[in-house]
Amino acid sequence: MSTTRRTALAALAAVPLATALAAPATAATARHDRRTLFVAGDSTAAQKYLDAKPETGWGMALPLFLSDRVRVANHAVNGCSSKSFVDEGRLDTILAAIRPGDLLLIQFAHNDEKSADPARYTEPWSTYQDHLKLYVDGARAKGARPVLATPVERRRFDGDGNSLPTHGDYPAAMRALADEEGVALLDIQALSLALWRKLGVEETKTYFNWTATEQDNTHVNPPGAIAVARLVAEELRGRSVLPARDVRRLGDAVDELDPAWQSRLTWLTGTTPA
């Protein structure tokens, strides 16, 4: 599939359902009452298709924790790095749609780490930061607020059952850039690492994409997506990115292991674009 076709599909998938179903409203009313949180990221956050189920991106679960005043436009795409997302025109797609008062949540690293792939690889303390700054500057130029999020951790334990970090210097490089640029930082890497450590070796299998045919320690399933989305929402409120009124159902209000909550997640019809 061509890059142009993939970009078009991603843009279509990212249109919030509420937008498609909403009754007509004046532009002034829409901007006053609602704003959009755009997500730029990789497969750990992305909207999934039916062929990938039960693999789930945390961006699919994020609306569970946000009020109706905040719409989620999930532009995260499988396989993207901070570099390839830009090179494929995906950041341009977001910047063409983003408006003053909106938010751009940026989470990359998983694919930036792939040193054997020049189309995606970035070096933490140089090209990774350089590319992240493109998102920050682009959002600010549009009057929107950029928000950096360190990458969700993989499921990896040592022989003593300790959850291990896997992202090298990338989270530290993002933290440093956030500090330098005065950008809000959601430290999802540290929080997810602590969560996996708390759950332990066996229970974390319930949160990752472990099936009869696959043992995936990178991508989560519905319980994992809900759990990570809760971390994101807590950080959005805790870092004063969103007011308390726009974040809901924190704490134990949503049980990620309850099928009733999992049933609220939606996979797109069809197959994942290659």
Side-chain angles (χ1 to χ4, degrees), residues 13-53:
V15 174
L17 182 60
T19 301
L21 300 179
T26 66
T29 299
R31 298 316 305 167
H32 177 73
D33 292 336
R34 309 185 75 184
R35 55 179 165 169
T36 301
L37 188 157
F38 291 82
V39 179
D42 55 36
S43 59
T44 60
Q47 170 68 53
K48 306 297 179 178
Y49 289 72
L50 285 173
D51 68 321
K53 194 175 181 180

Side-chain angles (χ1 to χ4, degrees), residues 135-214:
Y135 298 77
V136 170
D137 292 345
R140 284 174 166 168
K142 291 289 187 173
R145 183 176 182 180
V147 181
L148 291 167
T150 54
V152 62
E153 263 301 346
R154 300 179 177 94
R155 179 186 174 276
R156 182 174 296 176
F157 293 87
D158 64 17
D160 296 322
N162 298 308
S163 182
L164 300 175
T166 68
H167 292 299
D169 282 348
Y170 289 88
M174 180 181 279
R175 294 180 190 112
L177 180 69
D179 185 61
E180 178 182 332
E181 295 292 325
V183 178
L185 177 80
L186 317 183
D187 205 345
I188 305 306
Q189 186 263 343
L191 292 170
S192 58
L193 184 68
L195 177 59
W196 307 148
R197 181 180 295 120
K198 176 183 177 181
L199 291 171
V201 176
E202 291 304 315
E203 192 171 351
T204 46
K205 294 177 183 177
T206 306
Y207 288 72
F208 279 78
N209 189 32
W210 273 53
T211 68
T213 58
E214 187 172 11

Side-chain angles (χ1 to χ4, degrees), residues 47-216:
Q47 170 68 53
K48 306 297 179 178
Y49 289 72
L50 285 173
D51 68 321
K53 194 175 181 180
E55 183 180 321
T56 315
W58 59 256
M60 296 166 59
L62 188 55
L64 294 177
F65 299 99
L66 303 181
S67 77
D68 292 340
R69 287 182 292 272
V70 182
R71 296 171 291 184
V72 176
N74 189 357
H75 287 252
V77 175
N78 288 11
C80 275
S81 71
S82 65
K83 178 182 185 298
S84 66
F85 195 94
V86 171
D87 292 345
E88 293 173 6
R90 301 182 188 279
L91 176 57
D92 288 339
T93 297
I94 292 175
L95 296 180
I98 205 166
R99 297 292 181 265
D102 287 341
L103 304 166
L104 174 55
L105 177 55
I106 308 139
Q107 186 213 249
F108 291 102
H110 282 84
N111 298 301
D112 289 77
E113 300 165 10
K114 297 180 177 179
S115 58
D117 185 353
R120 293 187 285 183
Y121 177 65
T122 62
E123 193 280 328
W125 297 103
S126 59
T127 49
Y128 178 59
Q129 291 181 319
D130 292 342
H131 280 89
L132 293 178
K133 197 168 183 303
L134 295 175
Y135 298 77
V136 170
D137 292 345
R140 284 174 166 168
K142 291 289 187 173
R145 183 176 182 180
V147 181
L148 291 167
T150 54
V152 62
E153 263 301 346
R154 300 179 177 94
R155 179 186 174 276
R156 182 174 296 176
F157 293 87
D158 64 17
D160 296 322
N162 298 308
S163 182
L164 300 175
T166 68
H167 292 299
D169 282 348
Y170 289 88
M174 180 181 279
R175 294 180 190 112
L177 180 69
D179 185 61
E180 178 182 332
E181 295 292 325
V183 178
L185 177 80
L186 317 183
D187 205 345
I188 305 306
Q189 186 263 343
L191 292 170
S192 58
L193 184 68
L195 177 59
W196 307 148
R197 181 180 295 120
K198 176 183 177 181
L199 291 171
V201 176
E202 291 304 315
E203 192 171 351
T204 46
K205 294 177 183 177
T206 306
Y207 288 72
F208 279 78
N209 189 32
W210 273 53
T211 68
T213 58
E214 187 172 11
Q215 297 179 352
D216 183 348

